[in-house]
Amino acid sequence: MTNGTGAEVVVDLDAIAANTAVLRERVGRPLMAVVKADGYGHGLVPSARAALAGGADQLGVAVLAEALALRAAGVTAPLLAWLNGPGADLAAALAADVEVSVNAGWGLAEVVAAARETGRPARLHLFADTGLSREGATMADWPELVAAAARAQADGDLTVVGLWSHMAHADAPTHPTIGAQVRVFEEAVGIARAAGLTDARRHLANSAATVALPDTWFDMVRPGVAVYGLDPLGGDAADHGLRPAMTVQARVALTKRVPAGAGVSYGHTYTTPAETTLALVPVGYADGVPRAGGNAAPVLAAGAKRTIAGRVCMDQFVLDVGDAAVAPGDQVVLWGPGEGGEPTAQQWADATGTIHYELVTRIGGRFTRCYVGSAGAV
Ligand SMILES: *Cc1c(COP(=O)(O)O)cnc(C)c1O
């Protein structure tokens, strides 16, 4: 499969499975692998299958469409879709045996209505805001939400299977908000248990907390980015026994000799210091290569790490490879595990002022995705 650019996102399914196994082994308790946002850009269904092959107990996605796509592909594992706005098709969720989450009374009412419509009791998670101020019911609203959920459970409309929250600073393991959030979470759990919601799993830990904060593990952990082998703490994934699953590569489309003083790409923000060879790489910001990578981001080309010369354009960028031998068709690696001298997504993130999460979830456009490894393959 080619579109003429040779631009590929290569995903190593065995790495996803191995990372999941490392994390699962480390925590010694159930693990929900988060596969939202098309498996963090690695492919929803193959990533989910690979994580399950690696020992994930459950899957988590943000929106219902992602959950239904997994079910349509034949993935039967327990599955939570947590970001449901008003009017979400909760009946479809319940019919497909998808667990849902609510954080407000109106959401609970919609779940109860869907349960009655379908005759299928919901498996529900209640989301507490313990300090992130994002999803989740505030502690002011929590007792009322819990009481309403307990009534609905007694009525047979649902079972509360999860009590959960999300961390603000897990990637800064000594931050004072961490202890504070854990304490608020325990308080929220206490309120729910006192209301009779005694069978729910407590889950709080994202990747960073899974790697660094055992006090946050409770009954289940919920890692995303670490499953794909990226270090949630922004360091070296290998320190945690993780291996990046994604390699992003393209092929040189054109080379040319130019004299010293040639202005390169829009705005001439790079000028050749000497006579040199330029290599054109046919991927750009329309494909998820950040424009901020101009004169900043590293790639592996012609046997060495080189910085992109001048601006990243919509469809292409340029490299100054000096006198290295390079020809059209030669491979250029933007990022990968780092084991073959190529940069890592973390190095790209550092160079472009973002986080690897954003890079891997946005890479796409004219890159084709292909898979290596066999974990979870059907
Ligand atoms: C995305 C997300 C996760 C996973 O986060 P990572 O940092 O990728 O591990 C877990 N829980 C919630 C609520 C999320 O939104």
Side-chain angles (χ1 to χ4, degrees), residues 32-36 40 62 82-83 127 132 134-135 164-167 203-210 221-228 232 357:
M32 176 191 292
V34 177
V35 294
K36 64 187 180 187
Y40 286 54
W82 63 73
L83 199 57
F127 203 149
L132 179 61
R134 202 181 71 176
E135 306 122 299
W164 70 311
S165 188
H166 196 44
M167 308 283 297
H203 53 106
L204 177 61
N206 60 359
S207 291
T210 299
V221 296
R222 223 170 50 233
V225 88
V227 164
Y228 308 94
Y357 292 79

Side-chain angles (χ1 to χ4, degrees), residues 126-138:
L126 297 177
F127 203 149
D129 182 354
T130 57
L132 179 61
S133 301
R134 202 181 71 176
E135 306 122 299
T138 63

Side-chain angles (χ1 to χ4, degrees), residues 45-355:
V45 172
S47 298
R49 289 208 174 103
L52 291 167
D57 303 86
Q58 307 203 15
L59 300 168
V61 292
V63 301
L64 201 47
E66 298 170 313
L68 296 177
L70 284 166
R71 289 290 186 251
V75 175
T76 57
L79 170 56
L80 166 64
W82 63 73
L83 199 57
N84 305 302
D89 191 355
L90 296 171
L94 302 191
D97 200 19
V98 173
E99 299 176 6
V100 294
S101 174
V102 299
N103 46 29
W106 62 261
L108 184 68
E110 290 195 6
V111 169
V112 168
R116 292 189 176 163
E117 180 191 332
T118 57
R120 302 183 67 137
R123 292 174 57 80
L124 184 70
H125 298 243
L126 297 177
F127 203 149
D129 182 354
T130 57
L132 179 61
S133 301
R134 202 181 71 176
E135 306 122 299
T138 63
M139 282 304 100
D141 295 336
W142 181 252
E144 195 181 320
L145 179 64
V146 159
R151 282 193 301 275
Q153 179 166 298
D155 290 345
D157 291 323
L158 56 86
T159 306
V160 175
V161 297
L163 298 169
W164 70 311
S165 188
H166 196 44
M167 308 283 297
H169 276 285
D171 54 347
T174 59
H175 199 277
T177 58
I178 290 166
Q181 280 198 263
V182 169
R183 281 192 297 280
V184 175
F185 186 57
E186 284 172 336
E187 186 191 322
V189 167
I191 291 167
R193 288 189 168 164
L197 303 176
T198 48
D199 297 332
R201 261 183 193 165
R202 304 161 297 165
H203 53 106
L204 177 61
N206 60 359
S207 291
T210 299
V211 163
L213 299 169
D215 288 351
T216 67
W217 293 348
F218 291 95
D219 303 320
M220 178 165 70
V221 296
R222 223 170 50 233
V225 88
V227 164
Y228 308 94
L230 299 170
D231 181 0
L233 305 179
D236 185 354
D239 293 347
H240 310 292
L242 303 172
R243 185 165 179 277
M246 178 187 284
T247 299
V248 177
Q249 58 196 26
R251 292 195 182 275
V252 171
L254 175 70
T255 60
K256 63 179 101 180
R257 286 298 280 181
V258 298
V264 175
S265 193
Y266 289 132
H268 286 176
T269 59
Y270 180 85
T271 303
T272 55
E275 183 184 323
T276 190
T277 299
L278 299 179
L280 184 70
V281 184
V283 287
Y285 59 77
D287 310 300
V289 177
R291 189 165 177 275
N295 288 322
V299 304
L300 176 65
K305 255 186 214 170
R306 305 170 192 280
T307 302
I308 291 173
R311 288 195 184 140
V312 173
C313 309
M314 190 182 294
D315 323 295
Q316 50 202 297
F317 64 80
V318 178
L319 298 173
D320 178 345
V321 300
D323 294 328
V326 63
D330 286 359
Q331 195 169 73
V332 174
V333 184
L334 283 72
W335 67 77
E339 292 154 3
E342 76 280 11
T344 61
Q346 181 64 52
Q347 287 164 348
W348 264 75
D350 293 342
T352 58
T354 184
I355 52 176

